[in-house]
Amino acid sequence: MSLWTSLEPASATVDPGDSTTVRLRLRNTGDVVDEYRFEAVGPLAPWARVEPQVLRLYPGTTGSVDVTFAPPRTPDATAGPNPYAVRVTPTEHPDATTVPEGNLTITPFTEVRAELVPPTVKGRFRGRPKLAVDNLGNTKLTASVSGSDNGDQLSYDVHPSNVQIEPGRAAFVKTTLKPRQIIWFGSKESRPYTLAVQRSGTDPLGVEGTYVQKGFLPRWLATFLGIFMALAITFVMLWIAYKPSVHSTATERIEEAGVSTLAPSLSPTPEAPKAPPSVPTTPPAATETQKPGGAGAGGGGGGSGDEETKPPERTAATAVQKLAAQDPTGRHICYRVYVSGKGWTDAVCDGATAGTVGEETPLKAVNIAVSGTKGTSSAAFVHNPDSTNGEGHFPDPWSGAADGIDNYVGSTKKDAPNMLGFTINVGGGSSSVCQAAHVHNDAWLGLECDDPKSGFDFTYAGTHDNDLWLEAIRLAV
C-alpha cells in the first residue's frame, strides 16, 4: 500500500444542531506523485462535508483534510455512538482505496409537543378530548399525563396515563372529563382545564383546553316551573284562608220528586282508533338512471321518441374551474359531500357548509378540487366494525389530484361505512389548508389549520370515535 492515514481524533462528540470537525491526515508512501479523492460513507454521510475533496501529494509528503459533521436537531440524529468512514481513492492506484473509520457520538436531546384534539369539547355529563403527544427528540420519551383545573370542577379519566414514545413518533391519550356537579337548569358554562405531560426531572408541559358544560334543562323551563309553583302555593294559601261552605240539596229534591237515586246502566266505551302505519320521513334516493320528474331512464316500451338527456354532473372540479377562470391568480377550494340516503350535495367553495347538521345523516364520501395550490391530497377515516378500541381506521391510502381535477375519498356504495373524518393537505403539505367539521351528537369542532413550518403538513377533520360520524364540513385555503 502506498498510503498512510490517521483520523484525529478517532472519536468525537457533537450536539444535534451544532457541528464538529475531525482531521484526516495522510502520507504518500509511494514513489510517484498521486492525487487523492475523499468521500464520506455510512449513515452519517448526509451530514458530513470533506474539505478539500481532492488532495495532491508528492512522494514522502504529508497532507490533511477536514471532515465536518453537522447533524440536525431532529429525531433522525440518533443519540449515542455512530460509526462513520471516509473513502480515500488514489488516482494513480484506484485499486488501493483506503477507508479509515471513526466514531461520532451524538448527544441526546428531548423535545415534546402536545396538542388537544379538539381543544374545546361540549357535553352535559362528559367530554372526550384526545391529547396528541409528539416526541421530536432523538431519545425514547417516557411521560405521565394528568389533568387539573381551577376549583376542582372536573374529574379526569386518562388512558393511558403513562406513555413511551419512540423518537419521531406520536401517541394519542384518551381523556374523559366529567363535571362534579350537573347543571340542571340554566345556560352552558365554560370550564377551562389543563392536561399536563410530566417527564422525570423536568417541568410539566401543560396543554390548555375548555369543556363547555351544557344545562340539563333550558332556563325558560326553570322560569316556567318557578312561576307555576308560586301560583300553586298562592292558590293553596288562599284556599286555606277562605274555604267556601259547600252543601248539596240533591237528596231533598230527589225525595220531593220521587225519583230513583239509582244510576242508569252505562254503555260500553268505544274502542280507540288504531295508529296509522309508519311512513318514511325521508324519500328514497334517486338512482343514477332516473330522469327528472321521477321517470326511469332504463327499460323498454314505447314512447314519443324524444328522450330527455341527463344534464352533466356539477362536481367540485367544475365549480373550482369556474372560480379559477374569474380569478386566475387566486387560491380556491371547492367541495361537495355524499350524504347517506340523499346522494351528492351541490358543490360549494371557500368556507361554505357542505352537508347537513342535526339530521342524523352521516357522510359517506367527499369530492374536493383546488386551484392555485399545486394540487391536494386526502385519505378517509371510516367506521371499523372489527375495532377493538372503539376507533375507526384508514381503509385506503392517500389519493391526490392536481389543480382543477376532482379528488374523491370515501365510498358511495350502498353498504359503504360512515366517514368519521379525513386528512387533507394542499401543495404536498407546503401550503396551508383550514377545516371545520360537524360531528354526530356534538357540534362544530372549531377551525383547525395545518402548519407546514412546524412540521404538521396536513390537518385532520373529524374524530376517531366509531360512533361519531361526520355530518358537515367547511374548507378554506
Side-chain angles (χ1 to χ4, degrees), residues 123 223 225 259:
T223 304
L225 292 178
V259 180

Side-chain angles (χ1 to χ4, degrees), residues 116-380:
L116 274 171
V117 182
T120 300
V121 292
K122 301 178 182 180
R124 292 180 174 85
F125 305 109
R126 63 182 57 85
R128 293 189 177 93
K130 290 184 179 180
L131 181 67
V133 184
D134 296 281
N135 182 7
L136 304 180
N138 62 352
T139 59
K140 180 185 290 187
L141 169 68
T142 301
S144 61
V145 181
S146 60
S148 63
D149 61 275
N150 294 330
D152 195 25
Q153 297 175 333
L154 303 172
S155 64
Y156 303 86
D157 181 13
V158 181
H159 180 75
S161 58
N162 294 283
V163 293
Q164 286 190 344
I165 309 173
E166 297 293 333
R169 304 300 296 271
F172 282 92
V173 178
K174 297 181 180 180
T175 306
T176 301
L177 311 175
K178 294 182 180 180
R180 298 189 185 276
Q181 293 184 350
I182 298 175
I183 302 176
W184 293 106
F185 297 97
S187 58
K188 59 187 177 182
E189 294 184 11
S190 296
R191 306 196 185 281
Y193 67 94
T194 301
L195 293 183
V197 181
Q198 178 67 62
R199 294 178 291 119
S200 177
T202 62
D203 294 333
L205 173 63
V207 183
E208 297 182 351
T210 303
Y211 171 62
V212 180
Q213 184 179 356
K214 300 178 180 179
F216 187 74
L217 296 175
R219 184 184 297 273
W220 65 266
L221 183 57
T223 304
F224 173 79
L225 292 178
I227 295 174
F228 177 79
M229 290 299 296
L231 292 175
I233 293 173
T234 301
F235 177 79
V236 171
M237 295 300 294
L238 291 176
W239 178 268
I240 294 174
Y242 176 71
K243 184 176 181 180
S245 177
V246 179
H247 64 278
S248 174
T249 59
T251 303
E252 292 82 356
R253 293 187 178 181
I254 290 175
E255 290 177 350
E256 291 176 357
V259 180
S260 174
T261 59
L262 296 176
S265 61
L266 299 177
S267 60
T269 303
E271 184 180 359
K274 300 292 184 180
S278 61
V279 179
T281 58
T282 303
T287 63
E288 282 187 343
T289 58
Q290 191 174 24
K291 293 184 178 181
S304 61
D306 294 328
E307 280 194 14
E308 296 180 5
T309 59
K310 184 177 179 180
E313 185 179 15
R314 187 175 185 266
T315 67
T318 308
V320 85
Q321 290 169 8
K322 184 177 181 181
L323 286 179
Q326 299 171 352
D327 182 17
T329 61
R331 290 161 49 91
H332 300 284
I333 183 168
C334 295
Y335 43 96
R336 58 177 184 151
V337 296
Y338 191 93
V339 181
S340 178
K342 296 185 178 181
W344 287 108
T345 64
D346 292 335
V348 296
C349 304
D350 298 335
T353 299
T356 63
V357 175
E359 296 184 11
E360 308 295 324
T361 50
L363 304 188
K364 300 289 187 176
V366 180
N367 169 210
I368 305 170
V370 295
S371 67
T373 68
K374 298 181 180 179
T376 180
S377 298
S378 293

Side-chain angles (χ1 to χ4, degrees), residues 394-449:
F394 287 101
D396 301 312
W398 285 66
S399 65
D403 279 4
I405 304 299
D406 282 313
N407 187 30
Y408 292 87
V409 294
S411 174
T412 60
K413 294 182 179 179
K414 183 178 180 180
D415 57 348
N418 297 338
M419 284 188 66
L420 310 179
F422 63 97
T423 57
I424 181 172
N425 70 7
V426 294
S430 62
S431 299
S432 181
V433 59
C434 299
Q435 54 78 20
H438 191 285
V439 299
H440 169 62
N441 278 347
D442 209 324
W444 287 102
L445 299 183
L447 184 66
E448 292 289 337
C449 304

Side-chain angles (χ1 to χ4, degrees), residues 67-142:
V67 184
T68 302
F69 296 95
R73 190 178 173 85
T74 64
D76 297 332
T78 306
N82 294 268
Y84 70 90
V86 179
R87 182 186 293 120
V88 183
T89 305
T91 302
E92 297 295 332
H93 303 284
D95 55 336
T97 299
T98 302
V99 186
E101 298 180 353
N103 189 64
L104 180 68
T105 299
I106 300 177
T107 60
F109 76 95
T110 304
E111 185 174 343
V112 182
R113 180 170 57 193
E115 180 183 9
L116 274 171
V117 182
T120 300
V121 292
K122 301 178 182 180
R124 292 180 174 85
F125 305 109
R126 63 182 57 85
R128 293 189 177 93
K130 290 184 179 180
L131 181 67
V133 184
D134 296 281
N135 182 7
L136 304 180
N138 62 352
T139 59
K140 180 185 290 187
L141 169 68
T142 301

